[in-house]
Amino acid sequence: MVRIDYTNVMAEVIGERDGVLREELLSFRHFVVEVHSIIQKEKSRKFYFCRLPYQDVSHIKEYAQHIREKFENFVVIGIGGSSLGAKMLFESLTDFNYNQKNSPKFYLLENVDPERFASVLEQIDVEKTCFNVVTKSGSTVETIANFSIIMSMLKDRLGDRFTENLVFTTDPEKGFLRKFGQEHNIKIFDVPPLVGGRFSVLSAVGLLPAAVAGIDIDQLLAGAKKMDLVCSVEEHVEHNPAYLIALAHYITNMRRGKTISVMMPYAEKLASFVDWYRQLWAESLGKDGLGQTPVKAIGTVDQHSQIQLYREGIRDKIITFIQVEKFSTDFRIPEELPEDISYLSGHSLAEILNKELLGTKAALIKSKVPNLTIVLDEISPYNIGMLIYMYELATGFSGYLYKINPFDQPAVEEGKNFTYALMGRKGYEEKLEEFKELYKEKYRIEVQ
């Protein structure tokens, strides 16, 4: 069950300077109906991610079982949309001590930081490890660099059998990884060509690693289907969670100056959900001088580091809390305590966590900071599936509000092109010259 409380975003609670008037929400009624109709027609093209909850995943579950039976370790090699979704599912839906209790153990090689790379290698035997190389384009620099090193190690240890320890997830038709995989008879899963990386978590990109970790991917998709059904409502925006979230953020951004979107779950298992959200929101909507900057905070930890800023700093933020009603375990504080701390007697950690959230919300209301709360009855595959679909649809809908394309990332591609030029890739000679012209270290201080 997922419940959304947007009371504290509304002007009747925090005032018209910072809050949304109900009339403003209702004024988008005809716009919502129009865009909803467009989205339904685009589910075979731009909004193809909306079809992912209805796919047959039997082949993914079957191969995941093969990996679970054969290997002691499973390593995802990917970055950005090719890894954040898998990381989010793993950290949200498995035990904190998963690798101490379960097999195959789960690892990620995302960045090209050599020390992080070495730390993973120190924990695994490559002969007993399945490496899932994930890149839609088939040529992402960081992913291919890490893969190249791993492949060399596998060849040294296994010879021609190195392919048995590899599984690729990439474009169904083009790219280096597709070509290489076909040439060497490596198992390949497809990334739907019409689904961008940051929208791909409910494809094999996220579902294969999740299934390997023992997560119920049928329930993930069932939750996404349920949210798709709930979001089929178009007549009343207040009954459509995805459109409501999009409009609350858009109105507070464009009409109230809230340029920062803070997401603050009161459950540490959901920390990586915020990482996934940050890419989705930032890369999709940060265009043409528009969009909000997504910021990560964790309750209660960041009550002690960020709330001072949120309450008394620049009034440029909207906060989204995520509350969990029931945790998988809890601890009760002893009854017999010294008098000075006796107020804690008999309470539980989960109870304190959620009362801390209530106290923080009250403080933010007092400071007129718009905030909404997403409540989960528990952290489960079904509920996470609902959250994923809700935010993906909210992001796509927001593209129409801002009048931008939420499915491209031109500014990201520019940085990649400069990197290719610096690495000496053929065809990027002009980019190298452009880089030299732009990158002038005229003012520099060196300290030895």
Side-chain angles (χ1 to χ4, degrees), residues 14 17-19 248-263 277 281 291-295 306-320 364 367-371 402:
I14 60 171
R17 182 205 178 280
D18 298 287
H249 282 78
Y250 175 78
I251 293 171
T252 54
N253 178 200
M254 300 299 286
R255 300 182 181 180
R256 304 293 188 274
K258 311 306 179 186
T259 58
I260 295 175
S261 168
V262 179
M263 182 175 281
Y277 162 74
W281 206 247
Q292 290 172 312
T293 301
V295 170
Q306 298 295 308
I307 292 299
Q308 173 65 41
L309 172 68
Y310 299 165
R311 287 197 65 203
E312 294 189 1
I314 299 174
R315 297 170 70 169
D316 57 356
K317 301 165 191 71
I318 176 172
I319 319 291
T320 298
L364 290 174
S367 297
K368 312 299 184 186
V369 178
N371 63 92
Y402 285 105

Side-chain angles (χ1 to χ4, degrees), residues 2-252:
V2 174
R3 186 170 73 251
I4 300 174
D5 181 356
Y6 60 100
T7 304
N8 301 334
V9 172
M10 303 305 289
E12 61 191 80
V13 175
I14 60 171
E16 293 184 16
R17 182 205 178 280
D18 298 287
V20 176
L21 295 165
R22 190 164 186 276
E23 292 77 10
E24 286 181 290
L25 277 180
L26 297 179
S27 72
F28 282 88
R29 182 181 57 196
H30 297 299
F31 177 86
V32 169
V33 171
E34 179 182 351
V35 173
H36 182 79
S37 177
I38 293 172
I39 290 174
Q40 301 311 304
K41 294 174 183 176
E42 289 287 345
K43 284 188 175 181
S44 294
R45 293 184 292 180
K46 290 190 293 185
F47 281 77
Y48 192 90
F49 69 84
C50 294
R51 298 178 59 175
L52 294 180
Y54 300 92
Q55 68 188 291
D56 179 5
V57 293
S58 57
H59 63 301
I60 294 176
K61 293 190 291 182
E62 181 180 345
Y63 200 79
Q65 185 60 34
H66 161 72
I67 293 171
R68 289 170 62 83
E69 293 172 356
K70 182 175 180 180
F71 295 100
E72 294 182 2
N73 309 294
F74 181 77
V75 178
V76 175
I77 303 177
I79 196 168
S82 295
S83 65
L84 284 175
K87 183 178 181 180
M88 175 262 290
L89 294 177
F90 175 76
E91 295 189 358
S92 298
L93 297 170
T94 65
D95 188 89
F96 279 115
N97 298 319
Y98 175 91
N99 277 2
Q100 283 71 52
K101 301 177 181 179
N102 298 278
S103 182
K105 301 183 188 306
F106 188 97
Y107 302 94
L108 286 149
L109 283 174
E110 298 177 280
N111 208 343
V112 283
D113 183 320
E115 292 180 339
R116 166 61 71 178
F117 191 94
S119 74
V120 173
L121 290 180
E122 288 173 3
Q123 299 176 74
I124 65 173
D125 179 345
V126 295
E127 290 186 46
K128 299 176 181 179
T129 302
C130 178
F131 296 91
N132 180 200
V133 187
V134 187
T135 162
K136 184 182 178 183
S137 69
S139 60
T140 305
V141 171
E142 298 89 345
T143 302
I144 297 303
N146 286 335
F147 161 60
S148 298
I149 296 169
I150 293 297
M151 180 173 61
S152 178
M153 292 179 174
L154 288 173
K155 285 182 176 180
D156 288 343
R157 301 279 288 274
L158 298 173
D160 292 340
R161 292 175 41 243
F162 79 96
T163 59
E164 297 175 9
N165 291 52
L166 294 170
V167 54
F168 294 166
T169 309
T170 191
D171 187 273
E173 296 180 357
K174 61 181 185 296
F176 161 76
L177 210 61
R178 167 65 58 174
K179 179 181 178 183
F180 186 88
Q182 290 174 333
E183 290 174 350
H184 292 83
N185 199 30
I186 294 169
K187 177 67 176 178
I188 305 176
F189 286 92
D190 296 342
V191 182
L194 296 174
V195 176
R198 59 188 176 275
F199 290 90
S200 67
V201 60
L202 295 181
S203 73
V205 171
L207 296 182
L208 177 62
V212 170
I215 295 167
D216 189 338
I217 63 174
D218 288 322
Q219 279 296 294
L220 264 174
L221 297 181
K225 288 178 192 174
K226 177 63 175 181
M227 186 56 69
D228 182 44
L229 176 63
V230 172
C231 291
S232 65
V233 175
E234 57 177 306
E235 293 85 1
H236 304 286
V237 65
E238 294 168 293
H239 297 163
N240 188 310
Y243 298 170
L244 177 63
I245 285 173
L247 281 166
H249 282 78
Y250 175 78
I251 293 171
T252 54

